[in-house]
Amino acid sequence: DSEADSDQIIFLNGEVGTEKEEFAKYIHHQKHKEENRFATLQLNLLASDQLENIFINNELEKIIDTVEKGTIFLSGYSELMLKDQTLAHNSLQNLSWGQDIKIVVGVNLDKSNISLKQNDKISTIISDGTLLNLPPLRQYLQDIPELLKGFIDYFGITEGLVPRRFSLAAQNMLTKYAWPGNLKQLKNMVHATLLRPGK
């Protein structure tokens, strides 16, 4: 909760599929009321050879004008080139944020294609905020039965899908899988299963 109340930028570090945006929404709901807005900006879609600091500033300011009170989640940060990461970070630091706006940035520091030099630079950037690590699903496989139940309930509420039961044998098999796509892969698997016609 202390992280959710902090005014610092929050960096969520995790592999692809660790559902960083969903965790950012959780942080948002810890602090903000239902009517306060949650907005997402994909930084990597702004990147190009002509990328200039002012361009990122303008895009962020447009979102700030629509949010006022709430949370802005920035995705695609790790996909930016290092120079663009620096520009994006400078924009975050230089903009005069409203008191009721929280910034959450999704990053992936475990990417094998990041050089040591880049990692050092990224670590310096992140030192200005709070870093939270989201573990890959393979580190908490024992929670899969509970996660299955949660996703089944979720799709029942959001899409009206008829609940299904995963047998103990199926659950045991799922807890032995490595899940390279992490939580998102498990969620998609449950969704696909519920969409299939019943026997």
Side-chain angles (χ1 to χ4, degrees):
D1 287 348
S2 59
E3 286 90 352
D5 293 334
S6 168
D7 288 328
Q8 289 180 301
I9 298 169
I10 295 177
F11 292 91
L12 298 180
N13 175 42
E15 296 177 6
V16 172
T18 48
E19 295 287 72
K20 292 184 274 282
E21 184 170 355
E22 292 304 312
F23 196 81
K25 287 177 182 176
Y26 171 77
I27 292 172
H28 169 77
H29 290 301
Q30 296 303 299
K31 180 177 180 182
H32 293 288
K33 297 175 184 175
E34 195 64 40
E35 64 269 18
N36 294 149
R37 190 167 172 232
F38 179 95
T40 297
L41 177 64
Q42 291 183 271
L43 286 174
N44 54 317
L45 298 185
L46 301 180
S48 70
D49 290 338
Q50 292 80 38
L51 180 65
E52 294 180 0
N53 201 23
I54 191 167
F55 182 58
I56 293 183
N57 267 338
N58 288 342
E59 290 302 308
L60 290 174
E61 282 173 347
K62 278 183 203 170
I63 286 192
I64 290 168
D65 288 342
T66 64
V67 172
E68 292 181 4
K69 291 183 179 181
T71 303
I72 299 174
F73 175 70
L74 302 178
S75 68
Y77 187 86
S78 293
E79 282 69 45
L80 295 177
M81 297 292 288
L82 189 59
K83 65 180 177 61
D84 296 333
Q85 287 178 344
T86 304
L87 289 174
H89 181 72
N90 289 342
S91 297
L92 294 179
Q93 295 297 78
N94 294 333
L95 283 170
S96 54
W97 302 105
Q99 287 185 330
D100 294 315
I101 294 177
K102 176 167 288 301
I103 306 300
V104 183
V105 185
V107 295
N108 183 355
L109 303 184
D110 302 319
K111 291 174 68 171
S112 57
N113 61 346
I114 295 178
S115 68
L116 286 174
K117 182 179 178 184
Q118 281 181 306
N119 247 332
D120 287 345
K121 179 69 175 175
I122 293 169
S123 297
T124 302
I125 288 172
I126 287 177
S127 67
D128 290 335
T130 299
L131 178 64
L132 300 178
N133 290 302
L134 304 183
L137 182 54
R138 62 184 175 276
Q139 290 185 10
Y140 54 101
L141 293 172
Q142 71 279 3
D143 292 339
I144 281 182
E146 196 62 33
L147 290 168
L148 290 173
K149 182 180 180 305
F151 286 139
I152 290 168
D153 291 345
Y154 171 80
F155 289 120
I157 294 167
T158 60
E159 298 184 26
L161 296 179
V162 178
R164 289 197 186 184
R165 184 176 165 275
F166 284 80
S167 68
L168 281 177
Q171 291 182 40
N172 287 335
M173 185 178 72
L174 295 175
T175 59
K176 292 176 173 62
Y177 182 58
W179 298 102
N182 291 298
L183 207 53
K184 190 173 188 69
Q185 184 183 8
L186 179 66
K187 182 180 179 181
N188 289 343
M189 183 277 295
V190 172
H191 191 225
T193 301
L194 297 180
L195 286 173
R196 271 191 228 116
K199 291 181 182 178

Coordinates of all heavy atoms in Angstrom, one line a residue, residues 96-148:
S96 N 5.2 18.9 -15.2 CA 4.7 19.2 -13.8 C 3.4 18.4 -13.7 O 2.3 18.8 -14.2 CB 4.4 20.7 -13.8 OG 3.6 21.1 -14.9
W97 N 3.5 17.3 -13.0 CA 2.3 16.5 -12.8 C 1.4 17.1 -11.7 O 1.8 17.7 -10.8 CB 2.8 15.1 -12.2 CG 3.8 14.4 -13.1 CD1 5.1 14.3 -13.0 CD2 3.5 13.8 -14.4 NE1 5.6 13.6 -14.0 CE2 4.7 13.3 -14.9 CE3 2.3 13.6 -15.1 CZ2 4.7 12.6 -16.1 CZ3 2.3 12.9 -16.3 CH2 3.6 12.4 -16.8
G98 N 0.1 16.8 -12.0 CA -0.9 17.1 -10.9 C -0.7 16.2 -9.7 O -0.2 15.1 -9.8
Q99 N -1.1 16.7 -8.6 CA -0.9 15.9 -7.4 C -1.7 14.6 -7.4 O -1.3 13.7 -6.7 CB -1.4 16.8 -6.2 CG -0.5 17.9 -5.8 CD -0.9 18.7 -4.6 OE1 -2.1 18.7 -4.3 NE2 0.0 19.2 -3.9
D100 N -2.7 14.5 -8.2 CA -3.6 13.3 -8.1 C -3.3 12.4 -9.3 O -4.1 11.5 -9.6 CB -5.0 13.7 -8.1 CG -5.4 14.4 -6.8 OD1 -5.0 13.9 -5.7 OD2 -6.1 15.4 -6.8
I101 N -2.2 12.6 -10.0 CA -1.8 11.7 -11.1 C -0.7 10.8 -10.7 O 0.4 11.3 -10.2 CB -1.5 12.5 -12.4 CG1 -2.7 13.2 -12.9 CG2 -0.9 11.6 -13.4 CD1 -2.4 14.1 -14.1
K102 N -0.9 9.5 -10.9 CA 0.2 8.6 -10.6 C 0.7 8.0 -11.9 O -0.1 7.7 -12.8 CB -0.3 7.4 -9.7 CG 0.8 6.3 -9.4 CD 0.4 5.4 -8.3 CE 0.5 6.1 -7.0 NZ 1.8 6.6 -6.7
I103 N 2.0 7.8 -12.0 CA 2.7 7.2 -13.2 C 3.2 5.9 -12.9 O 3.9 5.7 -11.9 CB 3.8 8.1 -13.7 CG1 3.4 9.6 -13.9 CG2 4.4 7.5 -15.0 CD1 2.3 9.7 -14.9
V104 N 2.8 4.9 -13.7 CA 3.3 3.5 -13.5 C 3.9 3.1 -14.9 O 3.2 3.2 -15.9 CB 2.2 2.5 -13.2 CG1 2.7 1.1 -12.9 CG2 1.4 3.0 -11.9
V105 N 5.1 2.6 -14.9 CA 5.8 2.3 -16.1 C 6.2 0.8 -16.1 O 6.8 0.3 -15.2 CB 7.2 3.1 -16.2 CG1 7.8 2.8 -17.6 CG2 6.9 4.6 -16.1
G106 N 5.8 0.1 -17.1 CA 6.1 -1.3 -17.3 C 7.4 -1.5 -17.9 O 7.7 -0.9 -19.0
V107 N 8.3 -2.3 -17.3 CA 9.6 -2.5 -17.9 C 9.9 -4.0 -17.8 O 9.3 -4.8 -17.1 CB 10.8 -1.8 -17.1 CG1 10.6 -0.3 -17.3 CG2 10.8 -2.2 -15.6
N108 N 10.9 -4.4 -18.6 CA 11.4 -5.8 -18.6 C 12.9 -5.8 -18.5 O 13.6 -5.7 -19.6 CB 10.9 -6.6 -19.8 CG 11.3 -8.0 -19.8 OD1 12.0 -8.5 -19.0 ND2 10.8 -8.8 -20.8
L109 N 13.5 -5.8 -17.3 CA 14.9 -5.7 -17.2 C 15.6 -7.1 -17.4 O 16.8 -7.1 -17.3 CB 15.2 -5.2 -15.8 CG 14.6 -3.9 -15.4 CD1 15.1 -3.4 -14.0 CD2 15.0 -2.8 -16.5
D110 N 14.8 -8.1 -17.6 CA 15.4 -9.5 -17.7 C 15.6 -9.9 -19.2 O 16.0 -11.0 -19.5 CB 14.5 -10.5 -17.0 CG 14.3 -10.2 -15.6 OD1 15.3 -9.8 -14.9 OD2 13.2 -10.3 -15.1
K111 N 15.4 -8.9 -20.1 CA 15.6 -9.3 -21.5 C 17.0 -9.6 -21.8 O 17.9 -8.8 -21.5 CB 15.1 -8.1 -22.4 CG 13.6 -7.9 -22.3 CD 13.1 -6.6 -23.0 CE 13.3 -6.8 -24.5 NZ 12.7 -5.7 -25.3
S112 N 17.2 -10.7 -22.5 CA 18.6 -11.1 -22.8 C 19.3 -10.2 -23.8 O 20.6 -10.2 -23.9 CB 18.6 -12.6 -23.3 OG 17.8 -12.6 -24.5
N113 N 18.6 -9.4 -24.5 CA 19.2 -8.6 -25.5 C 19.6 -7.2 -25.0 O 20.0 -6.3 -25.7 CB 18.3 -8.4 -26.8 CG 17.0 -7.7 -26.4 OD1 16.6 -7.6 -25.3 ND2 16.3 -7.3 -27.4
I114 N 19.5 -7.0 -23.7 CA 19.9 -5.7 -23.1 C 21.4 -5.9 -22.7 O 21.7 -6.8 -21.9 CB 19.0 -5.4 -21.8 CG1 17.6 -5.1 -22.3 CG2 19.6 -4.2 -21.1 CD1 16.7 -4.8 -21.1
S115 N 22.2 -5.0 -23.2 CA 23.6 -5.0 -22.8 C 23.8 -4.6 -21.4 O 23.0 -3.9 -20.8 CB 24.4 -4.2 -23.8 OG 24.1 -2.8 -23.6
L116 N 25.0 -4.9 -20.8 CA 25.4 -4.4 -19.5 C 25.3 -2.9 -19.4 O 24.9 -2.3 -18.4 CB 26.7 -4.9 -19.1 CG 26.8 -6.4 -18.7 CD1 28.2 -6.9 -18.5 CD2 25.9 -6.8 -17.5
K117 N 25.8 -2.2 -20.5 CA 25.8 -0.8 -20.5 C 24.4 -0.2 -20.4 O 24.1 0.7 -19.6 CB 26.5 -0.3 -21.7 CG 26.6 1.2 -21.8 CD 27.4 1.7 -23.1 CE 27.4 3.2 -23.2 NZ 28.0 3.7 -24.4
Q118 N 23.5 -0.9 -21.2 CA 22.1 -0.4 -21.2 C 21.5 -0.7 -19.8 O 20.8 0.2 -19.3 CB 21.3 -1.2 -22.2 CG 21.5 -0.7 -23.6 CD 20.6 -1.4 -24.6 OE1 20.7 -2.7 -24.7 NE2 19.8 -0.8 -25.4
N119 N 21.8 -1.8 -19.2 CA 21.3 -2.2 -17.9 C 21.7 -1.2 -16.8 O 20.9 -0.8 -16.0 CB 21.7 -3.6 -17.5 CG 20.5 -4.5 -17.4 OD1 19.4 -4.1 -17.2 ND2 20.7 -5.8 -17.6
D120 N 23.0 -0.7 -16.9 CA 23.4 0.3 -16.0 C 22.7 1.6 -16.1 O 22.3 2.2 -15.1 CB 24.9 0.5 -16.2 CG 25.8 -0.6 -15.7 OD1 25.3 -1.5 -14.9 OD2 27.0 -0.7 -16.0
K121 N 22.5 2.0 -17.4 CA 21.8 3.2 -17.6 C 20.3 3.1 -17.2 O 19.8 4.0 -16.5 CB 21.8 3.5 -19.2 CG 21.1 4.8 -19.6 CD 21.8 6.0 -19.1 CE 21.1 7.3 -19.6 NZ 21.7 8.5 -19.0
I122 N 19.7 2.0 -17.5 CA 18.3 1.8 -17.1 C 18.2 1.8 -15.6 O 17.2 2.4 -15.0 CB 17.7 0.5 -17.7 CG1 17.6 0.6 -19.2 CG2 16.3 0.2 -17.1 CD1 17.4 -0.7 -19.9
S123 N 19.1 1.1 -14.9 CA 19.1 1.1 -13.4 C 19.2 2.5 -12.8 O 18.5 2.8 -11.8 CB 20.3 0.3 -12.9 OG 20.1 -1.1 -13.3
T124 N 20.0 3.4 -13.5 CA 20.1 4.8 -13.0 C 18.8 5.5 -13.2 O 18.3 6.2 -12.3 CB 21.2 5.5 -13.8 OG1 22.4 4.8 -13.7 CG2 21.3 6.9 -13.3
I125 N 18.1 5.3 -14.3 CA 16.8 5.9 -14.6 C 15.8 5.4 -13.5 O 15.0 6.2 -13.0 CB 16.3 5.5 -16.0 CG1 17.2 6.3 -17.0 CG2 14.8 5.8 -16.2 CD1 16.9 5.8 -18.5
I126 N 15.8 4.1 -13.3 CA 14.8 3.6 -12.4 C 15.0 4.0 -10.9 O 14.1 4.0 -10.1 CB 14.7 2.0 -12.6 CG1 14.0 1.8 -13.9 CG2 14.0 1.3 -11.4 CD1 14.0 0.3 -14.3
S127 N 16.2 4.3 -10.6 CA 16.6 4.7 -9.2 C 15.8 5.9 -8.8 O 15.6 6.2 -7.6 CB 18.1 5.0 -9.1 OG 18.4 6.1 -9.8
D128 N 15.2 6.7 -9.7 CA 14.4 7.9 -9.3 C 13.0 7.5 -8.9 O 12.2 8.3 -8.4 CB 14.2 8.8 -10.5 CG 15.5 9.5 -10.9 OD1 16.4 9.6 -10.0 OD2 15.7 9.9 -12.0
G129 N 12.6 6.2 -9.0 CA 11.2 5.8 -8.7 C 11.3 4.6 -7.8 O 12.3 4.2 -7.2
T130 N 10.1 3.9 -7.7 CA 10.0 2.7 -6.9 C 9.9 1.5 -7.9 O 9.2 1.6 -8.8 CB 8.7 2.7 -6.1 OG1 8.7 3.8 -5.2 CG2 8.5 1.4 -5.3
L131 N 10.7 0.5 -7.7 CA 10.8 -0.6 -8.5 C 10.1 -1.8 -7.9 O 10.5 -2.2 -6.8 CB 12.2 -1.0 -8.9 CG 12.4 -2.3 -9.7 CD1 11.8 -2.1 -11.1 CD2 13.9 -2.6 -9.9
L132 N 9.1 -2.4 -8.5 CA 8.4 -3.6 -8.0 C 8.6 -4.7 -9.0 O 8.4 -4.5 -10.2 CB 6.9 -3.3 -7.9 CG 6.5 -2.2 -6.9 CD1 4.9 -2.0 -6.9 CD2 6.9 -2.5 -5.5
N133 N 9.0 -5.8 -8.6 CA 9.3 -7.0 -9.4 C 8.1 -7.9 -9.4 O 7.6 -8.3 -8.4 CB 10.5 -7.8 -9.0 CG 11.8 -7.0 -9.2 OD1 12.1 -6.6 -10.4 ND2 12.5 -6.7 -8.2
L134 N 7.5 -8.2 -10.6 CA 6.4 -9.2 -10.8 C 7.0 -10.5 -11.2 O 7.6 -10.6 -12.3 CB 5.5 -8.7 -11.9 CG 4.9 -7.3 -11.6 CD1 3.9 -6.9 -12.7 CD2 4.2 -7.1 -10.3
P135 N 6.9 -11.5 -10.3 CA 7.6 -12.8 -10.6 C 6.9 -13.5 -11.8 O 5.7 -13.4 -12.0 CB 7.4 -13.6 -9.3 CG 6.2 -13.0 -8.7 CD 6.2 -11.6 -9.1
P136 N 7.7 -14.3 -12.6 CA 7.1 -15.2 -13.6 C 6.2 -16.2 -13.0 O 6.4 -16.7 -11.9 CB 8.3 -15.7 -14.3 CG 9.4 -15.7 -13.3 CD 9.1 -14.5 -12.5
L137 N 5.2 -16.7 -13.7 CA 4.3 -17.7 -13.2 C 5.0 -19.0 -12.8 O 4.5 -19.6 -11.8 CB 3.2 -18.1 -14.3 CG 2.1 -19.0 -14.0 CD1 1.4 -18.6 -12.7 CD2 1.2 -19.2 -15.1
R138 N 6.1 -19.4 -13.4 CA 6.8 -20.6 -13.0 C 7.3 -20.6 -11.6 O 7.6 -21.6 -11.0 CB 7.9 -20.9 -14.0 CG 9.0 -19.8 -14.0 CD 10.1 -20.1 -15.1 NE 11.1 -19.0 -15.1 CZ 10.9 -17.9 -15.9 NH1 9.8 -17.8 -16.6 NH2 11.8 -17.0 -15.9
Q139 N 7.3 -19.4 -11.0 CA 7.8 -19.3 -9.6 C 6.6 -19.4 -8.6 O 6.9 -19.5 -7.4 CB 8.5 -17.9 -9.4 CG 9.8 -17.8 -10.1 CD 10.5 -16.5 -9.8 OE1 10.1 -15.8 -8.9 NE2 11.6 -16.2 -10.5
Y140 N 5.4 -19.5 -9.0 CA 4.3 -19.7 -8.1 C 3.3 -20.7 -8.7 O 2.1 -20.4 -8.7 CB 3.7 -18.4 -7.6 CG 3.2 -17.5 -8.7 CD1 1.9 -17.4 -9.0 CD2 4.1 -16.6 -9.3 CE1 1.4 -16.5 -10.0 CE2 3.7 -15.7 -10.3 CZ 2.3 -15.7 -10.6 OH 1.8 -14.8 -11.6
L141 N 3.8 -21.8 -9.3 CA 2.9 -22.8 -9.9 C 1.9 -23.4 -9.0 O 0.8 -23.8 -9.4 CB 3.8 -23.9 -10.5 CG 4.7 -23.5 -11.7 CD1 5.6 -24.7 -12.1 CD2 3.9 -23.1 -12.9
Q142 N 2.2 -23.4 -7.7 CA 1.2 -24.0 -6.7 C 0.0 -23.2 -6.6 O -1.1 -23.6 -6.1 CB 1.9 -24.1 -5.3 CG 2.1 -22.7 -4.6 CD 3.4 -22.0 -5.1 OE1 4.1 -22.4 -6.0 NE2 3.6 -20.8 -4.5
D143 N 0.0 -21.9 -7.2 CA -1.2 -21.1 -7.1 C -2.2 -21.3 -8.3 O -3.2 -20.6 -8.4 CB -0.8 -19.6 -7.0 CG -0.1 -19.2 -5.7 OD1 -0.3 -20.0 -4.7 OD2 0.6 -18.2 -5.7
I144 N -1.8 -22.1 -9.3 CA -2.5 -22.3 -10.5 C -4.0 -22.7 -10.2 O -4.9 -22.1 -10.8 CB -1.8 -23.2 -11.5 CG1 -0.7 -22.4 -12.2 CG2 -2.8 -23.8 -12.5 CD1 0.1 -23.1 -13.2
P145 N -4.3 -23.7 -9.3 CA -5.7 -24.0 -9.1 C -6.5 -22.8 -8.7 O -7.7 -22.6 -9.1 CB -5.6 -25.1 -8.0 CG -4.3 -25.7 -8.2 CD -3.4 -24.6 -8.6
E146 N -6.0 -22.0 -7.8 CA -6.7 -20.8 -7.4 C -6.8 -19.8 -8.5 O -7.9 -19.1 -8.6 CB -6.0 -20.1 -6.2 CG -6.8 -19.1 -5.4 CD -8.0 -19.8 -4.7 OE1 -8.0 -20.9 -4.3 OE2 -9.0 -19.0 -4.6
L147 N -5.8 -19.6 -9.3 CA -5.8 -18.7 -10.5 C -6.9 -19.2 -11.5 O -7.6 -18.3 -12.1 CB -4.5 -18.6 -11.1 CG -3.4 -17.9 -10.3 CD1 -2.0 -18.1 -10.9 CD2 -3.7 -16.4 -10.3
L148 N -7.0 -20.5 -11.7 CA -8.0 -21.0 -12.6 C -9.4 -20.6 -12.2 O -10.2 -20.1 -13.0 CB -7.9 -22.5 -12.7 CG -6.6 -23.1 -13.4 CD1 -6.6 -24.6 -13.2 CD2 -6.6 -22.8 -14.9

